[in-house]
Amino acid sequence: MSYKNFPMVPRVIFGRGSFNQLSDILAPKRLSINAPFIFLVDDVFKADTWLTSRIPLSYEDKILYISANEEPKTEQVDDLVEEIILNTKERPSGIIGIGGGTLLDLAKAVAIMLTNEGEAKDYQGWDLVKNPAVYHVGIPTISGTGAEVSRTTVLTGPSKKLGINSDFTPFDQVVLDSELTKNVPTDQWFYTGMDCYIHCIESLNGTYLNAFSQSYGDIALTLCKEVFLSDELSKTEIQEKLMMASWHGGMSIAYSQVGVAHAMSYGLSYLLGTKHGIGNCIVFDHLEEFYPEGVKLFKEMKIKHNISLPKGICADLSDDQLDTMIDIALDLVPLWENALGKNWQKKITRKKLKELYQKM
């Protein structure tokens, strides 16, 4: 039997205000005055001088503001790489992603594509990347996706939604400053936090489960329950605990896998452009059959935070469109195998998936 030898983020800094140390972190990594640091920043911060004024720019360093309203696309990665190459004298010293999962995934993908030929879509899959990425740093401003810790960058390509899963994908450095999450709107905070919660449920109930993933999953699940069900925590404690839940949830799936909700939400995302967090919630709401306890608790959290999910998003879809979503979902073999075991094809049929999608 061969065991996974997976990479972890080598350097992590945690603590409120740790963002202020970014200059000290980056300085030794600068290759030359002509090799800039490129900051990919969620454009919601464009007018937020509290954050942007603290980004340490010098020499040719640049901030590129990017909308996170849509899921990241392979084409978007290619455009960013081209823009960076055309406007820098030398290969960048590093790529720094500041934002939620979309920005972190884009930062990882751009760092990879600056050193690998071809287009981003060519690398969707497992272990297709040949060359190490340029130095890259992840700074989450919302918690839950686990993108700050994972070895994948999930992208929607021309024919599929699939990550660039490789040993070169993880960040070289992560800055976990929970203060950066203080202004996240409640619904977005909930949807992204539920991404973490669903990571835990899928990992802990999967056939790939082992002591490594269970230890991280248990911690993440406990933290999620505290954050979303307790009335005892201060705002600061909620921000700090959810940031750590996200980290542990990401670590849990690093050595196992996600399951039914993620597979089906990839279908929604590919066809309808549904954002990942809310897509997971829409799907998970209907998965009592697979995760009875997890869904029951999810519904309690939904009520407590007064969240109403969109309904009827698949109501007017044609059979062809439903088939496209089913194809995307079924293509994610490791997710189904984790959720339902080696004989998963006997347990999940196209008809079953179609019925589930039609409820959403």
Side-chain angles (χ1 to χ4, degrees):
M1 170 153 187
S2 73
Y3 292 99
K4 253 197 227 180
N5 185 10
F6 84 94
M8 290 157 123
V9 175
R11 297 188 98 79
V12 186
I13 184 167
F14 172 82
R16 287 177 88 75
S18 59
F19 186 68
N20 293 336
Q21 288 170 240
L22 191 54
S23 177
D24 297 340
I25 290 167
L26 296 180
K29 300 294 180 183
R30 188 179 294 279
L31 301 173
S32 83
I33 59 170
N34 294 322
F37 286 106
I38 308 291
F39 297 84
L40 306 184
V41 182
D42 190 321
D43 67 1
V44 298
F45 296 110
K46 215 169 190 171
D48 186 352
T49 52
W50 174 79
L51 187 139
T52 54
S53 64
R54 294 155 67 205
I55 294 175
L57 297 175
S58 46
Y59 306 112
E60 310 281 316
D61 298 350
K62 286 187 187 68
I63 297 177
L64 301 180
Y65 289 105
I66 297 168
S67 165
N69 289 340
E70 292 187 355
E71 292 287 274
K73 296 183 170 59
T74 52
E75 190 183 342
Q76 186 182 12
V77 172
D78 297 333
D79 290 345
L80 282 166
V81 169
E82 188 176 9
E83 182 183 344
I84 291 165
I85 289 170
L86 292 175
N87 293 295
T88 52
K89 293 174 189 158
E90 293 176 16
R91 183 183 284 167
S93 293
I95 303 293
I96 295 92
I98 303 176
T102 294
L103 268 293
L104 298 183
D105 278 348
L106 285 172
K108 289 192 275 194
V110 167
I112 284 170
M113 293 312 300
L114 281 166
T115 56
N116 287 274
E117 290 180 356
E119 298 172 86
K121 69 176 171 58
D122 304 335
Y123 297 93
Q124 284 180 288
W126 278 266
D127 302 307
L128 302 171
V129 180
K130 302 282 185 290
N131 304 315
V134 302
Y135 176 76
H136 50 306
V137 179
I139 306 175
T141 59
I142 184 168
S143 296
T145 65
E148 65 277 13
V149 68
S150 76
R151 78 185 286 279
T152 186
T153 159
V154 182
L155 302 170
T156 302
S159 63
K160 58 194 168 198
K161 180 178 175 183
L162 188 61
I164 297 176
N165 297 271
S166 90
D167 282 357
F168 302 121
T169 307
F171 288 109
D172 298 295
Q173 169 81 55
V174 168
V175 177
L176 298 175
D177 180 348
S178 65
E179 201 177 13
L180 302 181
T181 69
K182 66 180 185 179
N183 295 326
V184 177
T186 303
D187 57 345
Q188 201 183 352
W189 167 83
F190 182 84
Y191 297 140
T192 311
M194 284 302 106
D195 188 17
C196 173
Y197 172 72
I198 294 166
H199 283 160
C200 300
I201 299 297
E202 293 185 320
S203 172
L204 291 169
N205 290 282
T207 63
Y208 287 10
L209 188 66
N210 51 63
F212 185 102
S213 43
Q214 183 165 5
S215 60
Y216 284 104
D218 284 343
I219 291 171
L221 186 57
T222 301
L223 288 166
C224 282
K225 286 176 182 171
E226 282 184 60
V227 166
F228 291 102
L229 293 171
S230 164
D231 295 317
E232 311 290 306
L233 302 179
S234 68
K235 262 207 154 116
T236 298
E237 286 174 317
I238 285 172
Q239 290 160 6
E240 299 225 312
K241 282 175 184 282
L242 190 55
M243 192 158 255
M244 286 327 295
S246 179
W247 181 269
H248 284 82
M251 285 296 294
S252 179
I253 53 173
Y255 216 85
S256 62
Q257 194 42 277
V258 284
V260 181
H262 275 75
M264 292 190 72
S265 88
Y266 274 34
L268 291 179
S269 178
Y270 178 82
L271 188 78
L272 305 174
T274 311
K275 288 285 287 176
H276 182 69
I278 192 168
N280 276 344
C281 289
I282 291 167
V283 175
F284 196 68
D285 210 30
H286 297 281
L287 298 184
E288 290 96 339
E289 181 188 336
F290 303 100
Y291 308 109
E293 287 301 307
V295 174
K296 182 167 167 262
L297 206 54
F298 169 75
K299 289 183 190 290
E300 281 175 39
M301 293 171 178
K302 214 170 51 164
I303 291 164
K304 181 169 171 60
H305 296 282
N306 202 19
I307 300 289
S308 53
L309 293 172
K311 288 192 166 47
I313 63 167
C314 298
D316 301 322
L317 297 183
S318 67
D319 283 345
D320 280 353
Q321 287 174 310
L322 285 162
D323 279 337
T324 298
M325 288 203 301
I326 292 165
D327 288 341
I328 295 286
L330 288 175
D331 207 26
L332 296 157
V333 173
L335 282 65
W336 293 106
E337 199 170 273
N338 177 49
L340 303 170
K342 292 271 188 224
N343 297 324
W344 64 273
Q345 280 150 314
K346 292 186 175 136
K347 298 174 190 169
I348 196 85
T349 60
R350 296 184 71 88
K351 180 169 175 275
K352 173 98 172 165
L353 283 182
K354 187 173 182 177
E355 284 165 5
L356 280 168
Y357 275 129
Q358 284 172 326
K359 285 183 189 171
M360 295 168 194

